[in-house]
Amino acid sequence: MTAIAVAVGGLVVGALLPTLLGALPDRTDVPDRDVEPGGRVRTPYRVLAARRGLRPALGVATAVTWGILAASRGWGADLPAYLVVAALGVAAAYVDLFEHRLPDPLTSSALAAAGLLLAVAAAVDGHWSAYARAWIVAAVMFAAYLGLAMLRPADLGLGDVKLAAVVGLVTGWLGWGIAVVGAFLGFLLGGLAGVALVLAGRAGRRTAIPFGPFMLAGALVAVAQGGTLLDAYLGR
């Protein structure tokens, strides 16, 4: 019953995400679009937020995500941190899918909110070692993704690097193994999606694919079922 109630709350919160997106600051005041260096068109957030059918779509996506988290995690002190990151992640994934960019206000807010809410959870449960580990994992993943972005700038952007810190924080809270599972699943899902698009003729070998949604999906699976997957892999 708790998971259903949380999912209903997610439906409401998700339906409000377009309002949040529309309030994000754009770099310019161009009415309809902005052209980034290199000729890429940057759609203003207010235009993205006004897309038809967006409210129910983000509402359903957030409801499903919140339901999965509540059903797998239970009503623990750390659940609010995961719910906030999930809601902001749904909004960020939407922008990344259509624009190939992750808004800094969303990733930075997710990192700050997760850091604060996990600190509250650590205070409630006394899990300060887990909290310290979470920040260490976040730093390690940030550094690792930054290195990858420098090596392959066409494949990873700075938005992905910043999101890696968020993913590292929420998975690292649960353990190093869970963090590894989450990172691995992000690359696995992104790779499978890329292969599927190439086989379907919708992308080429050098076509850029937004990676943020797959990082978030991998983190969701790791948080929800990472322990089970890790035990199965290790034969425990």
Side-chain angles (χ1 to χ4, degrees):
M1 189 64 182
T2 301
I4 296 176
V6 171
V8 172
L11 185 66
V12 175
V13 170
L16 295 175
L17 288 177
T19 302
L20 173 63
L21 284 175
L24 295 181
D26 284 301
R27 292 185 179 178
T28 70
D29 294 324
V30 176
D32 293 317
R33 64 183 188 176
D34 177 28
V35 179
E36 297 177 323
R40 185 175 182 82
V41 174
R42 176 184 287 269
T43 306
Y45 291 121
R46 63 182 180 276
V47 176
L48 290 172
R51 188 183 296 269
R52 180 177 299 179
L54 183 60
R55 289 188 185 276
L58 295 189
V60 170
T62 307
V64 171
T65 304
W66 278 26
I68 291 172
L69 289 169
S72 59
R73 299 296 306 156
W75 189 254
D78 59 356
L79 182 60
Y82 290 106
L83 298 183
V84 171
V85 171
L88 294 173
V90 167
Y94 161 66
V95 176
D96 200 21
L97 282 173
F98 286 94
E99 292 291 299
H100 289 214
R101 58 186 166 108
L102 290 161
D104 284 342
L106 295 182
T107 52
S108 59
S109 295
L111 185 64
L116 176 61
L117 292 172
L118 287 178
V120 173
V124 171
D125 296 332
H127 294 162
W128 290 109
S129 60
Y131 187 67
R133 180 184 61 228
W135 280 109
I136 293 172
V137 175
V140 169
M141 287 193 63
F142 179 87
Y145 273 72
L146 180 59
L148 290 173
M150 294 175 65
L151 291 173
R152 300 293 297 272
D155 297 328
L156 285 177
L158 289 180
D160 300 315
V161 175
K162 296 169 187 175
L163 182 61
V166 180
V167 169
L169 188 66
V170 295
T171 56
W173 167 262
L174 301 177
W176 283 98
I178 303 299
V180 171
V181 170
F184 171 76
L185 288 176
F187 283 105
L188 176 62
L189 294 173
L192 291 176
V195 171
L197 289 173
V198 170
L199 293 177
R202 300 184 61 183
R205 294 180 60 184
R206 296 187 178 274
T207 301
I209 297 174
F211 191 46
F214 303 107
M215 293 173 64
L216 291 164
L220 175 62
V221 175
V223 169
Q225 295 295 328
T228 301
L229 294 174
L230 197 59
D231 288 344
Y233 177 75
L234 296 176
R236 296 190 300 210

